[in-house]
Amino acid sequence: FDTEDIRMIRSLGKRNDILDILGRSICPSIHGHDVIKKALALQLLSGCEKNLKNGTHLRGDINILMVGDPSTAKSQLLRAAMSISPLAISTTGKGSSGVGLTAAVTSDPETKERRLEAGAMVLADRGLVCVDEFDKMGENDRVAIHEAMEQQTVTIAKAGLHASLNARCSVLAAANPVYGQYDRKRRIQENIGLPDSLLSRFDLLFVVLDQLDPDSDRRIAAHVIRGHRYLSVGGSAGHDSDYDDDSSEDENEDSANNATSKAHSIWQRSRYDFANSSRVRAGREDDDPHSDDVLQHDFLRKYLHFAKHKFTPRLTDEARECIAGRYAEMRSRQDERTLPVTARSLETIIRLASAHAKARLSNEVDADTDVAAAMDILSFALYHENTQVLEDTSLSKDKRKVDELSNTDEEASDSEDNSPKRPRAEDDLQDGATSSNTSDALSKLMARVFEEVDTSLDDGIEIVEVCDDITDRELIARVARTLHEDGKIYMADDMLYRV
């Protein structure tokens, strides 16, 4: 680090959208997965490790598991995290064994003495372990990493040797569902096929689905094609970490503009700007010239390293009360279709909030910003709900669909003047309201339909029972199909199911 780097790091840490910047700067060649990228940024920052006076060790490292359909960029995200982390070791489930991940006792060929050889998780102490094809690992081998993931030690008692090795590392794993494709009609535990004792050791579990949406498919295709069209300065084809680098132009500027060049050297214009899925981001300022830019790879690594090692956030009284309340709320929402919420989930909130405080370069965990951001990501992982992501990913989609809904409903309202009085949400959509009011009414109606499906006591609910006070059932059907296309619910044979 030099003085200019530290100055730019502290200046960048004051931005309100720092987590969005770090998220989109991680692997910009991958389309979408905004929440997962933010979670990877928090994993690279990690929480605060605590060693109590009674010898208890509380880990600060964050473990993440991604399960989903094939061809959803899980392995590419693993590679991106490896390229950013200062110490990262990669392995695969099929090519790894329990002793290969922890430690093995071998015999010296010359002296015939027993010796210990460290495995991947011991070698990655204070680093990151990336495990691809996690579901292909044998059951006996998976049991061997239970201790290393929670206690962060590897205890060996073999062949007269007894030792305890440190394995203070974060685990980033990717796996495929049991049935190849993710079956939404089955519980998440049935799709994953891993024991609950192992799943509870992962702080975040993301289900990555391959959605069938023509608009999304077109954006993904444009994003990928733009990456293949890119050529680097040397004429070679672009790869995952390529950006449109303007460093050569900066080097040719005269010395009088060195300060300006240095000030803008942390930003790079991604070649994927025009393939972005959402041009509106939370916290984006209209006059910000770097709203769609990404950080340089080297500066991103410097920022994460500086924030991780220079700050140890402490929980404030407001943050403690907020975390306790949100944890109790999660326990009350737990059902058979969600992952079990245990005391480890409480520690997950603390770790994510502490990591977000590090991203802000703060020594205090704030309830309104840090805990809210942590719960936003955790809710997306547990319930596939995320207020910020719903706004980001659905805003452009809502604008396209509001016109279609309003036009169709206005035509229907002309022929239904003598119909009974309808609720306000239905009136707002069909009585010539403004586009903003229509969008708000549509969002409220979508939220209401999703809530009724989510809180139904049975596994599924008939569509005729949803919002039964609204007379326009075709409107409810269109809203249900919209939620089905967005992957929030599953619709089949006039039945709505929770995802």
Side-chain angles (χ1 to χ4, degrees), residues 146-216:
H146 280 203
E147 179 194 4
M149 289 186 64
E150 188 61 35
Q151 281 73 38
Q152 294 196 309
T153 57
V154 174
T155 304
I156 297 294
K158 296 179 181 178
L161 294 176
H162 187 275
S164 181
L165 307 176
N166 288 325
R168 297 161 295 185
C169 60
S170 301
V171 178
L172 177 60
N176 291 322
V178 176
Y179 307 99
Q181 295 283 339
Y182 191 88
D183 189 355
R184 300 182 182 180
K185 296 182 180 180
R186 298 180 181 269
R187 298 168 60 243
I188 185 172
Q189 291 90 339
E190 297 176 358
N191 279 283
I192 297 174
L194 298 176
D196 289 344
S197 60
L198 182 58
L199 292 179
S200 65
R201 284 170 165 80
F202 285 101
D203 298 287
L204 297 172
L205 192 152
F206 292 106
V207 177
V208 188
L209 300 179
D210 186 9
Q211 303 286 356
L212 297 178
D213 182 19
D215 293 338
S216 177

Side-chain angles (χ1 to χ4, degrees), residues 42-290:
L42 295 182
Q43 182 186 38
L44 294 172
L45 289 168
S46 74
C48 296
E49 177 184 351
K50 297 180 177 65
N51 294 301
L52 305 183
K53 294 181 179 180
N54 59 1
T56 304
H57 172 77
L58 300 178
R59 67 180 173 94
D61 298 301
I62 300 172
N63 300 325
I64 297 177
L65 173 63
M66 293 181 292
V67 179
D69 297 329
S71 184
T72 50
K74 299 187 298 293
S75 300
Q76 294 286 352
L77 290 172
L78 262 66
R79 289 178 54 190
M82 285 184 56
S83 64
I84 297 174
S85 178
L87 174 60
I89 293 181
S90 175
T91 182
T92 60
K94 195 66 175 178
S96 302
S97 62
V99 294
L101 289 173
T102 55
V105 178
T106 60
S107 178
D108 189 280
E110 296 180 358
T111 62
K112 305 300 181 182
E113 294 181 353
R114 299 287 184 179
R115 63 181 184 183
L116 279 176
E117 289 190 359
M121 302 188 74
V122 177
L123 293 175
D125 188 34
R126 302 294 188 188
L128 177 68
V129 173
C130 297
V131 185
D132 202 359
E133 305 292 341
F134 192 69
D135 55 305
K136 307 299 189 300
M137 188 180 299
E139 182 177 357
N140 296 330
D141 299 328
R142 283 198 297 260
V143 173
I145 67 175
H146 280 203
E147 179 194 4
M149 289 186 64
E150 188 61 35
Q151 281 73 38
Q152 294 196 309
T153 57
V154 174
T155 304
I156 297 294
K158 296 179 181 178
L161 294 176
H162 187 275
S164 181
L165 307 176
N166 288 325
R168 297 161 295 185
C169 60
S170 301
V171 178
L172 177 60
N176 291 322
V178 176
Y179 307 99
Q181 295 283 339
Y182 191 88
D183 189 355
R184 300 182 182 180
K185 296 182 180 180
R186 298 180 181 269
R187 298 168 60 243
I188 185 172
Q189 291 90 339
E190 297 176 358
N191 279 283
I192 297 174
L194 298 176
D196 289 344
S197 60
L198 182 58
L199 292 179
S200 65
R201 284 170 165 80
F202 285 101
D203 298 287
L204 297 172
L205 192 152
F206 292 106
V207 177
V208 188
L209 300 179
D210 186 9
Q211 303 286 356
L212 297 178
D213 182 19
D215 293 338
S216 177
D217 294 340
R218 184 172 293 275
R219 289 194 299 268
I220 293 175
H223 190 91
V224 174
I225 291 173
R226 184 174 295 274
H228 281 274
R229 289 177 56 189
Y230 173 77
L231 292 178
S232 62
V233 179
S236 58
H239 53 84
D240 296 334
S241 59
D242 285 335
Y243 304 87
D244 287 341
D245 194 358
D246 296 334
S247 59
S248 59
E249 298 177 4
D250 294 339
E251 292 174 358
N252 295 330
E253 294 181 354
D254 53 1
S255 58
N257 296 328
N258 280 344
T260 305
S261 175
K262 182 65 178 179
H264 293 281
S265 62
I266 67 171
W267 298 100
Q268 294 197 44
R269 186 179 67 257
S270 174
R271 65 179 185 274
Y272 301 100
D273 284 348
F274 298 101
N276 235 345
S277 61
S278 174
R279 304 294 295 177
V280 181
R281 295 182 181 273
R284 172 179 171 176
E285 299 177 358
D286 294 336
D287 56 350
D288 185 7
H290 303 294

Side-chain angles (χ1 to χ4, degrees), residues 422-437:
R422 295 166 295 191
R424 181 174 181 83
E426 190 177 354
D427 292 337
D428 289 341
L429 287 175
Q430 297 186 352
D431 292 345
T434 61
S435 60
S436 60
N437 293 336

